[in-house]
Amino acid sequence: MLGFLSARQTGLEDPLRLRRAESTRRVLGLELNKDRDVERIHGGGINTLDIEPVEGRYMLSGGSDGVIVLYDLENSSRQSYYTCKAVCSIGRDHPDVHRYSVETVQWYPHDTGMFTSSSFDKTLKVWDTNTLQTADVFNFEETVYSHHMSPVSTKHCLVAVGTRGPKVQLCDLKSGSCSHILQGHRQEILAVSWSPRYDYILATASADSRVKLWDVRRASGCLITLDQHNGKKSQAVESANTAHNGKVNGLCFTSDGLHLLTVGTDNRMRLWNSSNGENTLLTGQARSLTPVIPALWEAEVNYGKVCNNSKKGLKFTVSCGCSSEFVFVPYGSTIAVYTVYSGEQITMLKGHYKTVDCCVFQSNFQELYSGSRDCNILAWVPSLYEPVPDDDETTTKSQLNPAFEDAWSSSDEEG
């Protein structure tokens, strides 16, 4: 660390590299924060969380009780022990409250003045944050499982919606109507996600075991149907052109949009190249971690068994701004943490006492928030203290986590 700071002071080190190294160290030190509570409002399980990207200060939660809560994550009391208070909520007594379970909440990506929610009551609602009144309501014929707005698009205001039907619906916030439909899946759509890299690229996951990438500008729509065998199995084989051997109920792009992670009820998580749709487990090649780390990972990306018993969408998340990116996946009553490009399981975060259904990463301070069927939201923050080696022995390189080791190597050592 001292070598890192010295090299930075003399201008030999890129400041971005130091930031990534520190972010990596903080993620590797995540632990349950016993000094920070999140006010308990929900009377049922927490299905979905979202932190607004503008300030990173306000968090939305949606529960199986149909309630939506808005939290302020900032410690305004300046005390070491504090509670993240609910600023406001859309409770059971609100005239526009969802009648059934809220499955997804999302902030409008460019402004905290608006957010969206979707529910088993077959509606997608657009809310004015200041008045807590609905600005628009989209009604569907089927139960809504998931929706998503593009985090980067300035060219369209489309909301992708996955329902119990096999068609993906695209709702236009500007016109207030369903603009068009994407057809190709055979069963319900359990998860949808826009690319954080390209305005018009959408990924969808279905109970038909398939994941599709779409360019919504094209008449045909579908670009790629992900194949776990990379086309090496005969089309007559049942698993051909399927991403998993079970329902695919979760997907998430890496922060740079170059790769896509999917989870399925076959207890597997897979990493895909989002440009050509290849399963990286079979190609045996993952890209270099970041431009500042020259080493290319050639190992197969295999995460092993990733327990997934969810009958609906599973909301997992990835880190952003680290030397080695991480993925956080609900795993029973815990959250499993893996390095994205090596597949190594770093740790299991334990604190909930019932199934975890969602988690969200706060990249400004490298914090994680998780929601569970125990009705609690827990905060996971970087440890303030470095672990002390036993018997005053210096920790050797072989004992260090590889991601941590790469992050803290100095320019002299790379030499």
Side-chain angles (χ1 to χ4, degrees):
M1 177 59 178
L2 291 177
F4 219 135
L5 292 174
S6 176
R8 173 68 197 101
Q9 189 175 21
T10 55
L12 298 175
E13 203 59 84
D14 185 345
L16 181 59
R17 190 164 183 268
L18 176 58
R19 179 176 176 176
R20 283 175 169 154
E22 175 61 10
S23 296
T24 302
R25 186 196 68 80
R26 288 171 64 83
V27 170
L28 290 172
L30 281 177
E31 63 181 13
L32 182 62
N33 190 341
K34 298 179 177 62
D35 295 328
R36 184 188 313 182
D37 288 331
V38 180
E39 186 176 1
R40 181 167 170 167
I41 302 292
H42 291 281
I46 315 296
N47 295 327
T48 173
L49 297 169
D50 191 42
I51 297 175
E52 47 85 13
V54 180
E55 297 180 72
R57 173 177 176 177
Y58 297 103
M59 180 173 71
L60 290 168
S61 66
S64 57
D65 54 1
V67 172
I68 299 172
V69 184
L70 194 161
Y71 295 96
D72 185 350
L73 303 179
E74 187 173 88
N75 180 10
S76 55
S77 70
R78 305 303 177 190
Q79 301 296 315
S80 58
Y81 180 85
Y82 70 101
T83 299
C84 297
K85 291 289 188 180
V87 176
C88 55
S89 64
I90 301 170
R92 300 309 309 168
D93 56 348
H94 193 287
D96 296 322
V97 67
H98 284 289
R99 290 183 292 122
Y100 304 126
S101 175
V102 175
E103 292 302 300
T104 309
V105 291
Q106 186 189 4
W107 288 99
Y108 181 62
H110 311 295
D111 186 356
T112 57
M114 186 171 74
F115 64 89
T116 54
S117 63
S118 58
S119 164
F120 277 178
D121 65 9
K122 304 179 183 179
T123 65
L124 165 70
K125 296 187 177 184
V126 183
W127 300 87
D128 183 316
T129 309
N130 298 309
T131 64
L132 288 188
Q133 301 299 314
T134 53
D136 208 345
V137 179
F138 295 87
N139 293 284
F140 303 93
E141 296 179 357
E142 304 279 358
T143 296
V144 180
Y145 285 113
S146 176
H147 79 269
H148 193 237
M149 290 179 284
S150 171
V152 296
S153 178
T154 57
K155 300 175 182 177
H156 69 77
C157 290
L158 297 175
V159 183
V161 182
T163 70
R164 185 169 286 175
K167 300 175 182 177
V168 181
Q169 317 255 2
L170 296 180
C171 300
D172 192 341
L173 295 183
K174 289 183 178 179
S175 66
S177 62
C178 184
S179 61
H180 55 294
I181 291 171
L182 303 176
Q183 301 188 67
H185 285 293
R186 300 173 185 175
Q187 295 184 44
E188 61 262 36
I189 312 299
L190 297 175
V192 295
S193 181
W194 291 96
S195 166
R197 192 177 188 88
Y198 303 108
D199 286 19
Y200 295 98
I201 302 300
L202 174 71
T204 60
S206 171
D208 64 7
S209 303
R210 289 173 170 81
V211 174
K212 292 179 179 290
L213 292 177
W214 312 78
D215 184 336
V216 299
R217 297 168 298 183
R218 292 172 36 146
S220 58
C222 185
L223 288 173
I224 307 170
T225 298
L226 302 185
D227 180 7
Q228 60 183 303
H229 306 296
N230 287 344
K232 295 179 181 178
K233 285 289 182 75
S234 166
Q235 295 301 304
V237 177
E238 185 179 352
S239 63
N241 288 328
T242 59
H244 288 264
N245 297 321
K247 297 180 179 181
V248 189
N249 60 350
L251 45 75
C252 182
F253 281 96
T254 53
S255 58
D256 57 14
L258 295 176
H259 288 82
L260 177 70
L261 287 149
T262 62
V263 293
T265 55
D266 56 357
N267 295 327
R268 289 289 179 265
M269 179 164 63
R270 295 199 165 96
L271 179 70
W272 309 83
N273 183 319
S274 61
S275 62
N276 58 21
E278 286 191 335
N279 179 0
T280 58
L281 173 61
L282 297 186
T283 62
Q285 293 180 347
R287 70 180 184 87
S288 59
L289 296 180
T290 65
V292 295
I293 295 181
L296 179 68
W297 288 63
E298 296 291 346
E300 295 182 351
V301 184
N302 187 348
Y303 302 98
K305 181 179 179 180
V306 181
C307 183
N308 179 1
N309 298 318
S310 178
K311 295 180 180 179
K312 51 185 182 179
L314 188 71
K315 294 173 175 63
F316 64 104
T317 189
V318 293
S319 65
C320 178
C322 298
S323 299
S324 173
E325 299 298 1
F326 303 92
V327 55
F328 307 90
V329 188
Y331 193 113
S333 62
T334 67
I335 301 110
V337 184
Y338 302 87
T339 52
V340 170
Y341 300 112
S342 72
E344 178 190 3
Q345 185 183 104
I346 299 299
T347 187
M348 301 283 278
L349 302 177
K350 300 177 181 179
H352 289 285
Y353 56 89
K354 285 189 179 180
T355 301
V356 179
D357 283 319
C358 59
C359 56
V360 63
F361 185 72
Q362 211 281 25
S363 58
N364 293 349
F365 302 107
Q366 295 78 46
E367 298 174 346
L368 184 76
Y369 291 85
S370 58
S372 165
R373 296 179 195 176
D374 60 17
C375 308
N376 291 315
I377 299 172
L378 298 183
W380 310 85
V381 301
S383 172
L384 295 177
Y385 305 100
E386 295 285 350
V388 179
D390 295 333
D391 302 324
D392 296 326
E393 292 181 0
T394 304
T395 306
T396 64
K397 276 193 173 185
S398 61
Q399 293 173 303
L400 289 171
N401 183 288
F404 188 83
E405 180 183 331
D406 280 340
W408 286 103
S409 61
S410 70
S411 56
D412 292 336
E413 290 171 343
E414 289 171 355

